[in-house]
Every structure is written in structure tokens, then in C-alpha cells.
Amino acid sequence: MSSQVERLPPFFPLKVKKCAEVADTFFACFEKNSLPNGDKEVGRKALMQCQEQLQAYEKCMERYLETRPGR
């Protein structure tokens, strides 16, 4: 099992066609769970609630970025 991701990846909010489905799933989860509610930790808590989606987004994007020409 992967360790928890505690911050947004440096390429966020980039979305490429090959990763559109996992990106949209993560973005929807993060948006839903990070709405302002007076809790200054809401963003961090949203990341914890969306770990599965975040890890899928990160994995797909890293794989895409590794295969880009000129890298």
C-alpha cells in the first residue's frame, strides 16, 4: 500500500487527455471536501479524504510526464 500523500503534486492542477478520468475524479473529490467551512485545515483534510483518487491522479500524471519527449 502506498504511503499517504500530504500535499498536492507540483503539476497540480494540470490535466492531460490520457489522465482526464482520474484527474476529474480527484478534482471532484477535492472540490467537494475542501469547501470553506471555517476550519483552517479543510484543505489538508480534503487531501486525506481523497487519498485514493489523489494517488491515482499522481501515478497517471507521473507516468505521462516520464514518457514525454525531451525529459
mmCIF file of all heavy atoms in Angstrom, residues 11 16-23 53-67:
data_model
loop_
_atom_site.group_PDB
_atom_site.id
_atom_site.type_symbol
_atom_site.label_atom_id
_atom_site.label_comp_id
_atom_site.label_asym_id
_atom_site.label_seq_id
_atom_site.Cartn_x
_atom_site.Cartn_y
_atom_site.Cartn_z
ATOM 1 N N PHE A 11 2.610 19.401 -10.264
ATOM 2 C CA PHE A 11 1.942 19.575 -11.555
ATOM 3 C C PHE A 11 0.448 19.872 -11.404
ATOM 4 O O PHE A 11 -0.227 20.129 -12.385
ATOM 5 C CB PHE A 11 2.131 18.348 -12.455
ATOM 6 C CG PHE A 11 1.933 17.037 -11.757
ATOM 7 C CD1 PHE A 11 0.667 16.555 -11.489
ATOM 8 C CD2 PHE A 11 3.030 16.308 -11.349
ATOM 9 C CE1 PHE A 11 0.496 15.354 -10.833
ATOM 10 C CE2 PHE A 11 2.876 15.100 -10.701
ATOM 11 C CZ PHE A 11 1.594 14.620 -10.444
ATOM 12 N N VAL A 16 -3.969 16.156 -18.381
ATOM 13 C CA VAL A 16 -3.732 15.761 -19.771
ATOM 14 C C VAL A 16 -4.805 14.763 -20.191
ATOM 15 O O VAL A 16 -5.423 14.110 -19.351
ATOM 16 C CB VAL A 16 -2.318 15.168 -19.969
ATOM 17 C CG1 VAL A 16 -1.251 16.213 -19.676
ATOM 18 C CG2 VAL A 16 -2.111 13.930 -19.138
ATOM 19 N N LYS A 17 -5.006 14.666 -21.477
ATOM 20 C CA LYS A 17 -6.064 13.813 -22.014
ATOM 21 C C LYS A 17 -5.972 12.373 -21.496
ATOM 22 O O LYS A 17 -6.975 11.774 -21.138
ATOM 23 C CB LYS A 17 -6.002 13.837 -23.536
ATOM 24 C CG LYS A 17 -7.234 13.342 -24.223
ATOM 25 C CD LYS A 17 -7.082 13.464 -25.730
ATOM 26 C CE LYS A 17 -8.274 14.199 -26.285
ATOM 27 N NZ LYS A 17 -8.210 14.349 -27.732
ATOM 28 N N LYS A 18 -4.755 11.834 -21.445
ATOM 29 C CA LYS A 18 -4.574 10.443 -21.016
ATOM 30 C C LYS A 18 -4.963 10.221 -19.555
ATOM 31 O O LYS A 18 -5.226 9.096 -19.151
ATOM 32 C CB LYS A 18 -3.124 10.004 -21.227
ATOM 33 C CG LYS A 18 -2.749 9.866 -22.668
ATOM 34 C CD LYS A 18 -1.341 9.368 -22.823
ATOM 35 C CE LYS A 18 -1.019 9.204 -24.287
ATOM 36 N NZ LYS A 18 0.242 8.549 -24.518
ATOM 37 N N CYS A 19 -4.981 11.280 -18.766
ATOM 38 C CA CYS A 19 -5.280 11.165 -17.339
ATOM 39 C C CYS A 19 -6.585 11.869 -16.969
ATOM 40 O O CYS A 19 -6.855 12.101 -15.787
ATOM 41 C CB CYS A 19 -4.133 11.745 -16.512
ATOM 42 S SG CYS A 19 -2.558 10.924 -16.776
ATOM 43 N N ALA A 20 -7.384 12.212 -17.956
ATOM 44 C CA ALA A 20 -8.584 13.025 -17.710
ATOM 45 C C ALA A 20 -9.546 12.376 -16.721
ATOM 46 O O ALA A 20 -10.064 13.043 -15.823
ATOM 47 C CB ALA A 20 -9.298 13.321 -19.016
ATOM 48 N N GLU A 21 -9.771 11.091 -16.853
ATOM 49 C CA GLU A 21 -10.745 10.431 -15.974
ATOM 50 C C GLU A 21 -10.303 10.445 -14.519
ATOM 51 O O GLU A 21 -11.074 10.824 -13.635
ATOM 52 C CB GLU A 21 -10.995 8.994 -16.435
ATOM 53 C CG GLU A 21 -12.108 8.321 -15.674
ATOM 54 C CD GLU A 21 -12.432 6.932 -16.208
ATOM 55 O OE1 GLU A 21 -12.208 6.662 -17.393
ATOM 56 O OE2 GLU A 21 -12.916 6.123 -15.403
ATOM 57 N N VAL A 22 -9.055 10.055 -14.256
ATOM 58 C CA VAL A 22 -8.588 10.047 -12.857
ATOM 59 C C VAL A 22 -8.429 11.468 -12.328
ATOM 60 O O VAL A 22 -8.687 11.722 -11.152
ATOM 61 C CB VAL A 22 -7.287 9.225 -12.661
ATOM 62 C CG1 VAL A 22 -7.539 7.751 -12.913
ATOM 63 C CG2 VAL A 22 -6.158 9.742 -13.513
ATOM 64 N N ALA A 23 -8.044 12.395 -13.191
ATOM 65 C CA ALA A 23 -7.918 13.792 -12.768
ATOM 66 C C ALA A 23 -9.289 14.350 -12.389
ATOM 67 O O ALA A 23 -9.439 14.969 -11.325
ATOM 68 C CB ALA A 23 -7.302 14.640 -13.876
ATOM 69 N N GLN A 53 -8.062 8.746 -4.836
ATOM 70 C CA GLN A 53 -8.173 9.494 -6.086
ATOM 71 C C GLN A 53 -6.905 10.302 -6.363
ATOM 72 O O GLN A 53 -6.447 10.376 -7.505
ATOM 73 C CB GLN A 53 -9.384 10.434 -6.031
ATOM 74 C CG GLN A 53 -10.708 9.724 -5.868
ATOM 75 C CD GLN A 53 -11.115 9.488 -4.414
ATOM 76 O OE1 GLN A 53 -10.304 9.504 -3.498
ATOM 77 N NE2 GLN A 53 -12.401 9.250 -4.207
ATOM 78 N N LEU A 54 -6.322 10.887 -5.315
ATOM 79 C CA LEU A 54 -5.090 11.666 -5.462
ATOM 80 C C LEU A 54 -3.946 10.777 -5.924
ATOM 81 O O LEU A 54 -3.187 11.139 -6.823
ATOM 82 C CB LEU A 54 -4.731 12.359 -4.144
ATOM 83 C CG LEU A 54 -3.384 13.075 -4.076
ATOM 84 C CD1 LEU A 54 -3.236 14.114 -5.177
ATOM 85 C CD2 LEU A 54 -3.195 13.711 -2.701
ATOM 86 N N GLN A 55 -3.819 9.615 -5.325
ATOM 87 C CA GLN A 55 -2.733 8.709 -5.707
ATOM 88 C C GLN A 55 -2.888 8.220 -7.141
ATOM 89 O O GLN A 55 -1.899 8.094 -7.870
ATOM 90 C CB GLN A 55 -2.633 7.560 -4.715
ATOM 91 C CG GLN A 55 -2.104 8.039 -3.374
ATOM 92 C CD GLN A 55 -1.983 6.947 -2.350
ATOM 93 O OE1 GLN A 55 -1.944 5.763 -2.675
ATOM 94 N NE2 GLN A 55 -1.910 7.336 -1.088
ATOM 95 N N ALA A 56 -4.115 7.970 -7.574
ATOM 96 C CA ALA A 56 -4.351 7.556 -8.969
ATOM 97 C C ALA A 56 -3.985 8.693 -9.930
ATOM 98 O O ALA A 56 -3.345 8.458 -10.966
ATOM 99 C CB ALA A 56 -5.806 7.139 -9.159
ATOM 100 N N TYR A 57 -4.374 9.919 -9.597
ATOM 101 C CA TYR A 57 -4.042 11.103 -10.410
ATOM 102 C C TYR A 57 -2.527 11.279 -10.479
ATOM 103 O O TYR A 57 -1.951 11.445 -11.558
ATOM 104 C CB TYR A 57 -4.720 12.332 -9.802
ATOM 105 C CG TYR A 57 -4.226 13.666 -10.313
ATOM 106 C CD1 TYR A 57 -4.439 14.063 -11.623
ATOM 107 C CD2 TYR A 57 -3.553 14.546 -9.466
ATOM 108 C CE1 TYR A 57 -4.000 15.298 -12.086
ATOM 109 C CE2 TYR A 57 -3.112 15.782 -9.914
ATOM 110 C CZ TYR A 57 -3.335 16.152 -11.218
ATOM 111 O OH TYR A 57 -2.895 17.373 -11.671
ATOM 112 N N GLU A 58 -1.878 11.226 -9.348
ATOM 113 C CA GLU A 58 -0.434 11.422 -9.285
ATOM 114 C C GLU A 58 0.307 10.346 -10.083
ATOM 115 O O GLU A 58 1.221 10.651 -10.851
ATOM 116 C CB GLU A 58 -0.001 11.407 -7.817
ATOM 117 C CG GLU A 58 1.388 11.904 -7.580
ATOM 118 C CD GLU A 58 1.676 12.099 -6.102
ATOM 119 O OE1 GLU A 58 1.404 11.202 -5.301
ATOM 120 O OE2 GLU A 58 2.189 13.167 -5.769
ATOM 121 N N LYS A 59 -0.101 9.106 -9.938
ATOM 122 C CA LYS A 59 0.540 7.995 -10.652
ATOM 123 C C LYS A 59 0.405 8.163 -12.168
ATOM 124 O O LYS A 59 1.372 8.016 -12.914
ATOM 125 C CB LYS A 59 -0.080 6.676 -10.209
ATOM 126 C CG LYS A 59 0.522 5.463 -10.852
ATOM 127 C CD LYS A 59 -0.139 4.201 -10.313
ATOM 128 C CE LYS A 59 0.421 2.959 -10.975
ATOM 129 N NZ LYS A 59 -0.237 1.745 -10.482
ATOM 130 N N CYS A 60 -0.794 8.504 -12.617
ATOM 131 C CA CYS A 60 -1.024 8.683 -14.043
ATOM 132 C C CYS A 60 -0.201 9.849 -14.587
ATOM 133 O O CYS A 60 0.448 9.733 -15.630
ATOM 134 C CB CYS A 60 -2.511 8.909 -14.310
ATOM 135 S SG CYS A 60 -2.919 8.998 -16.070
ATOM 136 N N MET A 61 -0.230 10.972 -13.893
ATOM 137 C CA MET A 61 0.497 12.153 -14.362
ATOM 138 C C MET A 61 2.010 11.913 -14.366
ATOM 139 O O MET A 61 2.704 12.310 -15.302
ATOM 140 C CB MET A 61 0.152 13.363 -13.503
ATOM 141 C CG MET A 61 -1.261 13.876 -13.719
ATOM 142 S SD MET A 61 -1.566 14.456 -15.405
ATOM 143 C CE MET A 61 -0.407 15.804 -15.503
ATOM 144 N N GLU A 62 2.531 11.255 -13.342
ATOM 145 C CA GLU A 62 3.968 10.970 -13.307
ATOM 146 C C GLU A 62 4.365 10.060 -14.452
ATOM 147 O O GLU A 62 5.396 10.259 -15.087
ATOM 148 C CB GLU A 62 4.352 10.363 -11.960
ATOM 149 C CG GLU A 62 4.366 11.385 -10.848
ATOM 150 C CD GLU A 62 4.591 10.805 -9.471
ATOM 151 O OE1 GLU A 62 4.548 9.559 -9.309
ATOM 152 O OE2 GLU A 62 4.800 11.602 -8.536
ATOM 153 N N ARG A 63 3.528 9.072 -14.735
ATOM 154 C CA ARG A 63 3.806 8.164 -15.856
ATOM 155 C C ARG A 63 3.800 8.946 -17.168
ATOM 156 O O ARG A 63 4.671 8.766 -18.015
ATOM 157 C CB ARG A 63 2.743 7.061 -15.870
ATOM 158 C CG ARG A 63 3.119 5.839 -16.614
ATOM 159 C CD ARG A 63 2.109 4.736 -16.450
ATOM 160 N NE ARG A 63 0.943 5.196 -15.698
ATOM 161 C CZ ARG A 63 0.056 4.425 -15.132
ATOM 162 N NH1 ARG A 63 0.144 3.138 -15.228
ATOM 163 N NH2 ARG A 63 -0.970 4.916 -14.474
ATOM 164 N N TYR A 64 2.840 9.847 -17.332
ATOM 165 C CA TYR A 64 2.764 10.670 -18.550
ATOM 166 C C TYR A 64 3.990 11.576 -18.661
ATOM 167 O O TYR A 64 4.610 11.667 -19.722
ATOM 168 C CB TYR A 64 1.487 11.519 -18.549
ATOM 169 C CG TYR A 64 1.511 12.582 -19.625
ATOM 170 C CD1 TYR A 64 1.253 12.260 -20.948
ATOM 171 C CD2 TYR A 64 1.841 13.896 -19.313
ATOM 172 C CE1 TYR A 64 1.302 13.228 -21.936
ATOM 173 C CE2 TYR A 64 1.895 14.872 -20.300
ATOM 174 C CZ TYR A 64 1.626 14.529 -21.606
ATOM 175 O OH TYR A 64 1.690 15.481 -22.585
ATOM 176 N N LEU A 65 4.341 12.241 -17.583
ATOM 177 C CA LEU A 65 5.462 13.186 -17.615
ATOM 178 C C LEU A 65 6.785 12.479 -17.872
ATOM 179 O O LEU A 65 7.673 13.033 -18.506
ATOM 180 C CB LEU A 65 5.514 13.989 -16.314
ATOM 181 C CG LEU A 65 4.341 14.952 -16.123
ATOM 182 C CD1 LEU A 65 4.368 15.547 -14.712
ATOM 183 C CD2 LEU A 65 4.322 16.047 -17.168
ATOM 184 N N GLU A 66 6.941 11.247 -17.408
ATOM 185 C CA GLU A 66 8.165 10.472 -17.635
ATOM 186 C C GLU A 66 8.332 10.094 -19.100
ATOM 187 O O GLU A 66 9.451 9.948 -19.575
ATOM 188 C CB GLU A 66 8.157 9.197 -16.793
ATOM 189 C CG GLU A 66 8.401 9.432 -15.342
ATOM 190 C CD GLU A 66 8.254 8.178 -14.506
ATOM 191 O OE1 GLU A 66 7.963 7.091 -15.054
ATOM 192 O OE2 GLU A 66 8.419 8.276 -13.279
ATOM 193 N N THR A 67 7.224 9.915 -19.809
ATOM 194 C CA THR A 67 7.310 9.448 -21.196
ATOM 195 C C THR A 67 7.330 10.582 -22.217
ATOM 196 O O THR A 67 7.429 10.323 -23.402
ATOM 197 C CB THR A 67 6.115 8.519 -21.526
ATOM 198 O OG1 THR A 67 4.896 9.242 -21.374
ATOM 199 C CG2 THR A 67 6.120 7.295 -20.641
#
